[in-house]
Amino acid sequence: MLKLTLKDGSIREVEAPVSAAEVVKGIGMGLYKSACCVKINGEVCDLRTVLTEDCTFEVLTFDDAEGKKTFWHTASHILAQAVKRLYPETKLAIGPAIDNGFYYDFDAPHPFSPEELLKIEAEMKKIVKENQALEAFTLSPDEAIAKLKEMDEPYKVELCEEHAAKGEPISFYKQEEFVDLCAGPHLMSTGAVKAFKLLSCTGAYWRGSEKNKMLSRVYGTAFPKAAQLDEEIQRREEAKMRDHNKLGRELELFTTVDCIGQGLPVLLPKGARVIQLLQRWIEDEEQKRGYLLTKTPLMAKSDLYKISGHWDHYLDGMFVLGDPTDETKECFALRPMTCPFQYQVFLNRQRSYRDLPMRLGETSTLFRNEDSGEMHGLIRVRQFTISEGHLILRPEQLEEEFKGCLELAKHCLDTVGMLEDCTFRFSQWDPANPKNKYEGTAEQWEEAQTIMGKILDNLGVDYEIGIDEAAFYGPKLDIQYKNVFGKEDTIVTIQIDMLLAEKFGMEYVDVDGSKRKPYIIHRTSLGCYERTLAYLIEKYAGAFPLWLAPEQVKIIPIADRHLDWAGEVQAKLEAAGIRCSIDDRAEKMGKKIREATLAKTPYMLTVGDQEVENKTVSVRSRKGDNLGAMDMDALLGKLLTEIAAKAR
C-alpha cells in the first residue's frame, strides 16, 4: 500500500501501482472532472503519472496557476492540430502556455488573416467535440530525431537535437493523428477545453532572434466554461482602452519615431513632466534615508566590464563602440548597469568600518540591446532611466539594510498605487547551469541564498521561488507587476552580492584593524521610470493622481472680458507650484470642458461674470463633479492638501 499525503495533511492509502487519475477519481468524480494535473512531491505532473512510492499529492484545477498552464498548453496543441488539418504544409515551432493564455508559432506560407483564424477556431471546436484522448510516449533521442525528420518538422528537429545531447528519452504527446514534441503535462482529453478564442496573429522571430526566420504567432485563450471566456474577453476589451501604447500616445505622453529606432521612445512634454516628478520625489526620499547621490558616466572602456564580469556574461546585451576583438584599440560600451561605476566611489579612498553602510543612489540612464521582437511601448525599451542604488556594508549590517531597501521599495510602490498588485519572487541560481551564467562556487551561492532566504522569512515576505532567475553574481528578490494584458515583468529588484567586491578589490578596515571585503546590495526603489510610467498610465487609464498629473488645473474663461481674472488665478496657482494653463480659445464652454476632461485634467476652473465680481472660481473635477464656487484661499488649501498627501 502507498501512503499519499494530501494538501490538507490527511493520509490516503492506495494499492500500488496506481495512476494519479485513479487516485483523483477515488477522492471524488467531481474533482476528477475539474482536475488539470497533479503535484507529486512538489513537482507538477500529468494525471497519467503512475505512482509507485509514498509521496505528497495535490490535485490542481484551473483555479491553480499550474492547472491553468496545463489547460492552456493543451489548448495550444488543439490549435496546432487544427492548423495542420487545414494547412498541412505549415511547420510547427513552439506552443507554450503564457500568463493569460497560450500561443503557437507556425512557419506558414503567410500570416493568418482574421477570417482564417475563425476557420481555425471552427476546426478546434470539432477537435474538442471529438473528445480526443491525449497519450504520452517517449522515444530515444535517435528515434525521436528520425521521427521528426519523417514528419518534416525542422523546428522540432532542431529542438530535439539540442535535447538529445543529454541522452535522456524524448517526450511526445499524441491526440488522434496529431503528434507533437512536448514535455507536458496535459489534460486527459481535448473535450475539457470547452470555451476558447483566438485573439490575434503577429510576427515572431524563431527563438526570438531577428537573425532567424519570421514566424506567425497565433495567440489565444481558453477556459472550462463559456461564462469565464466572456468575462476574459470583456476584461481584454477594457485592457485595450487602458493600454499604455494606445493611451500614452493619445494623451501625448510619448511617441516613437522610425528614424530614431525601435525601443527608443521620445517622451513628450507631458510624459517627461510625470517622470521628472517621480525622479525628484525618489531622489528626495532616498536622501532622507541616508543615500549619497552620484552621477557617473554613460559609457566605459571594456576594461571595467571585464573586471565586473559583464563582458563575459552580458556582452550580447550591450551596445559596443569599437571592435571587441581588436585588443590594440580602445573599445567602449554604453553601460547596461551602474554597479561597476558606483563602486569607484567606494574605491576613491581607503574606507573604514565607520564609513559603512555606504548607500549610493543615482538616477541612472542605461542601455540594453534587447531583441527587436521584445520591444513593447515603454515597458521593454533599449534606453531607460532607473532609480539605481548600491549599498556597500559590513556582513552584520546585511539584514537591516536589506530590510531598509524593501521598506523603501514598498513605500514607493504603495505611494503610486502599485503595491497592491505586486508579487514577490526569490530568484535563485540553477546549479545545473553554473558555468554558462553564474560566477562563484556552489558554497558561495548556497551561503548567499541561505542568508537571503532567512532575511525574507524574518521579514515575512510571501514569495515564490524562481530557479535560474538570479543575477550572475547573486540571488535577488524581484518585485513583479503585470500589465493590463497580464504580462508580468520585474519592476523592482533587490540583490545580494558577495562576489563583485573581490573582483574590484574592495576592502574596508574593520574595528580590529584587519581588512575585510564588504557585502553589496544592488537595488532599485521604483525601478525603471519608463516602465513605471507605462504601468501608471494603465492603472489610472491616464487619469493620474493630482500630484503626478502633468497639468493639474485648466482655467476656462467664458468670454474675453474674463481673461484678466483668469490670468490672476493662473498667477496665484503657479506661485503655489500648481501646474495650470488658460484655455482662451474662441470655443464653446462645453467643448472646452469636454476636451479638458478627455485630457484627464484633474480640475477645471470656469470663470464668468459672477466669479470676476466675487473673486472666485467655479470648480469642476474630471469625474464630472461640480464642486461649486471657491475663493483662492479655499481652492489652494484643497489642492495643496491633496498634493501633499499624494492622494490617489
Side-chain angles (χ1 to χ4, degrees), residues 2-6 39-41 51 53-57:
L2 298 182
K3 289 185 178 180
L4 308 182
T5 305
L6 304 185
K39 188 178 286 186
I40 301 171
N41 290 335
L51 308 177
E53 298 177 351
D54 295 350
C55 61
T56 60
F57 189 89

Side-chain angles (χ1 to χ4, degrees), residues 292-335:
L292 304 173
L293 185 65
T294 68
K295 191 165 183 63
T296 56
L298 298 180
M299 68 176 76
K301 295 194 297 183
S302 60
D303 305 48
L304 182 71
Y305 305 115
K306 288 176 181 177
I307 296 171
S308 68
H310 290 98
W311 200 252
D312 294 328
H313 293 276
Y314 209 79
L315 184 59
D316 289 344
M318 297 167 68
F319 288 101
V320 178
L321 309 176
D323 183 355
T325 64
D326 186 353
E327 296 185 1
T328 65
K329 296 180 181 179
E330 283 189 329
C331 181
F332 288 78
L334 299 178
R335 63 182 184 186

Side-chain angles (χ1 to χ4, degrees), residues 153-421:
E153 294 290 355
Y155 300 98
K156 300 291 184 180
V157 170
E158 181 179 328
L159 295 172
C160 193
E161 286 176 338
E162 290 179 0
H163 189 77
K166 300 178 181 179
E168 300 171 352
I170 308 294
S171 173
F172 289 80
Y173 276 81
K174 178 180 184 296
Q175 55 201 59
E176 296 293 345
E177 82 287 355
F178 179 75
V179 176
D180 201 355
L181 174 73
C182 184
H186 281 285
L187 303 179
M188 296 295 283
S189 71
T190 62
V193 185
K194 301 293 186 185
F196 52 85
K197 177 71 176 174
L198 299 184
L199 302 168
S200 63
C201 180
T202 64
Y205 291 109
W206 168 236
R207 312 198 86 165
S209 173
E210 58 189 11
K211 298 177 183 178
N212 295 329
K213 186 171 183 179
M214 176 74 78
L215 305 177
S216 293
R217 175 171 294 178
V218 177
Y219 284 97
T221 192
F223 293 86
K225 298 178 181 178
Q228 293 171 304
L229 177 62
D230 291 341
E231 289 177 6
E232 175 64 11
I233 297 302
Q234 182 178 351
R235 186 195 69 78
R236 286 175 178 268
E237 289 302 316
E238 292 173 355
K240 288 180 183 178
M241 301 300 293
R242 290 175 175 263
D243 181 9
H244 86 278
N245 236 336
K246 172 180 179 293
L247 197 53
R249 297 170 197 273
E250 292 175 353
L251 294 174
E252 296 187 355
L253 294 163
F254 76 96
T255 188
T256 52
V257 183
D258 287 343
C259 62
I260 290 179
Q262 195 175 16
L264 299 169
V266 175
L267 291 171
L268 300 174
K270 290 181 181 179
R273 178 67 70 192
V274 176
I275 285 185
Q276 181 192 54
L277 292 165
L278 289 170
Q279 289 176 354
R280 287 176 172 175
W281 165 57
I282 292 295
E283 288 181 357
D284 289 346
E285 192 65 40
E286 290 180 345
Q287 183 173 332
K288 292 177 189 175
R289 298 173 188 242
Y291 280 80
L292 304 173
L293 185 65
T294 68
K295 191 165 183 63
T296 56
L298 298 180
M299 68 176 76
K301 295 194 297 183
S302 60
D303 305 48
L304 182 71
Y305 305 115
K306 288 176 181 177
I307 296 171
S308 68
H310 290 98
W311 200 252
D312 294 328
H313 293 276
Y314 209 79
L315 184 59
D316 289 344
M318 297 167 68
F319 288 101
V320 178
L321 309 176
D323 183 355
T325 64
D326 186 353
E327 296 185 1
T328 65
K329 296 180 181 179
E330 283 189 329
C331 181
F332 288 78
L334 299 178
R335 63 182 184 186
M337 72 298 296
T338 318
C339 45
F341 295 84
Q342 284 197 320
Y343 297 162
Q344 308 311 311
V345 177
F346 177 89
L347 291 166
N348 186 53
R349 61 176 173 81
Q350 178 66 62
R351 302 291 176 177
S352 85
Y353 69 94
R354 293 187 180 89
D355 296 314
L356 306 182
M358 177 181 283
R359 306 183 188 103
L360 303 175
E362 181 166 338
T363 302
S364 179
T365 298
L366 305 178
F367 307 85
R368 294 186 182 173
N369 191 10
E370 302 276 7
D371 290 332
S372 60
E374 297 294 319
M375 298 298 103
H376 177 59
L378 297 176
I379 291 178
R380 185 75 66 176
V381 292
R382 287 175 168 150
Q383 175 184 312
F384 56 94
T385 303
I386 192 169
S387 54
E388 187 90 272
H390 296 88
L391 291 82
I392 304 167
L393 43 101
R394 295 152 59 192
E396 58 268 29
Q397 297 170 327
L398 181 59
E399 181 165 354
E400 188 64 24
E401 291 302 313
F402 191 99
K403 178 182 177 182
C405 292
L406 181 56
E407 287 177 346
L408 173 59
K410 291 173 73 173
H411 169 73
C412 294
L413 291 168
D414 186 45
T415 301
V416 297
M418 294 171 58
L419 182 61
E420 60 196 26
D421 299 315

Side-chain angles (χ1 to χ4, degrees), residues 301-585:
K301 295 194 297 183
S302 60
D303 305 48
L304 182 71
Y305 305 115
K306 288 176 181 177
I307 296 171
S308 68
H310 290 98
W311 200 252
D312 294 328
H313 293 276
Y314 209 79
L315 184 59
D316 289 344
M318 297 167 68
F319 288 101
V320 178
L321 309 176
D323 183 355
T325 64
D326 186 353
E327 296 185 1
T328 65
K329 296 180 181 179
E330 283 189 329
C331 181
F332 288 78
L334 299 178
R335 63 182 184 186
M337 72 298 296
T338 318
C339 45
F341 295 84
Q342 284 197 320
Y343 297 162
Q344 308 311 311
V345 177
F346 177 89
L347 291 166
N348 186 53
R349 61 176 173 81
Q350 178 66 62
R351 302 291 176 177
S352 85
Y353 69 94
R354 293 187 180 89
D355 296 314
L356 306 182
M358 177 181 283
R359 306 183 188 103
L360 303 175
E362 181 166 338
T363 302
S364 179
T365 298
L366 305 178
F367 307 85
R368 294 186 182 173
N369 191 10
E370 302 276 7
D371 290 332
S372 60
E374 297 294 319
M375 298 298 103
H376 177 59
L378 297 176
I379 291 178
R380 185 75 66 176
V381 292
R382 287 175 168 150
Q383 175 184 312
F384 56 94
T385 303
I386 192 169
S387 54
E388 187 90 272
H390 296 88
L391 291 82
I392 304 167
L393 43 101
R394 295 152 59 192
E396 58 268 29
Q397 297 170 327
L398 181 59
E399 181 165 354
E400 188 64 24
E401 291 302 313
F402 191 99
K403 178 182 177 182
C405 292
L406 181 56
E407 287 177 346
L408 173 59
K410 291 173 73 173
H411 169 73
C412 294
L413 291 168
D414 186 45
T415 301
V416 297
M418 294 171 58
L419 182 61
E420 60 196 26
D421 299 315
C422 288
T423 57
F424 298 84
R425 183 178 69 203
F426 180 8
S427 296
Q428 304 180 1
W429 83 317
D430 182 1
N433 185 25
K435 294 182 180 178
N436 295 333
K437 182 176 178 182
Y438 303 105
E439 295 201 353
T441 65
E443 291 74 21
Q444 288 172 314
W445 276 93
E446 186 62 32
E447 179 186 5
Q449 291 186 171
T450 299
I451 290 174
M452 187 166 179
K454 288 180 179 178
I455 292 174
L456 295 176
D457 292 340
N458 290 343
L459 295 177
V461 179
D462 183 14
Y463 60 83
E464 294 181 350
I465 292 177
I467 301 298
D468 204 22
E469 297 288 340
F472 72 82
Y473 48 75
K476 54 182 178 163
L477 176 67
D478 289 323
I479 303 180
Q480 304 294 106
Y481 191 89
K482 290 183 178 180
N483 68 11
V484 289
F485 295 106
K487 173 68 170 64
E488 184 176 275
D489 282 297
T490 300
I491 190 161
V492 167
T493 184
I494 306 172
Q495 306 169 6
I496 292 179
D497 173 9
M498 299 182 180
L499 299 177
L500 292 187
E502 183 172 0
K503 282 177 169 287
F504 280 90
M506 298 168 69
E507 294 179 331
Y508 66 93
V509 179
D510 208 352
V511 180
D512 60 3
S514 63
K515 290 187 176 182
R516 299 187 63 185
K517 290 182 173 56
Y519 284 176
I520 299 170
I521 296 177
H522 305 240
R523 49 100 275 178
T524 54
S525 47
L526 194 61
C528 167
Y529 287 104
E530 289 83 356
R531 183 174 290 180
T532 299
L533 175 59
Y535 287 142
L536 292 177
I537 292 170
E538 294 181 349
K539 180 174 182 63
Y540 295 109
F544 298 108
L546 179 64
W547 73 280
L548 274 178
E551 181 169 69
Q552 297 166 312
V553 173
K554 179 70 76 175
I555 305 166
I556 306 175
I558 295 176
D560 287 350
R561 63 180 179 275
H562 308 128
L563 282 173
D564 288 345
W565 174 234
E568 290 184 41
V569 170
Q570 181 183 24
K572 291 181 179 181
L573 291 174
E574 289 180 340
I578 305 297
R579 298 180 292 280
C580 61
S581 66
I582 299 174
D583 187 346
D584 57 2
R585 297 175 299 159

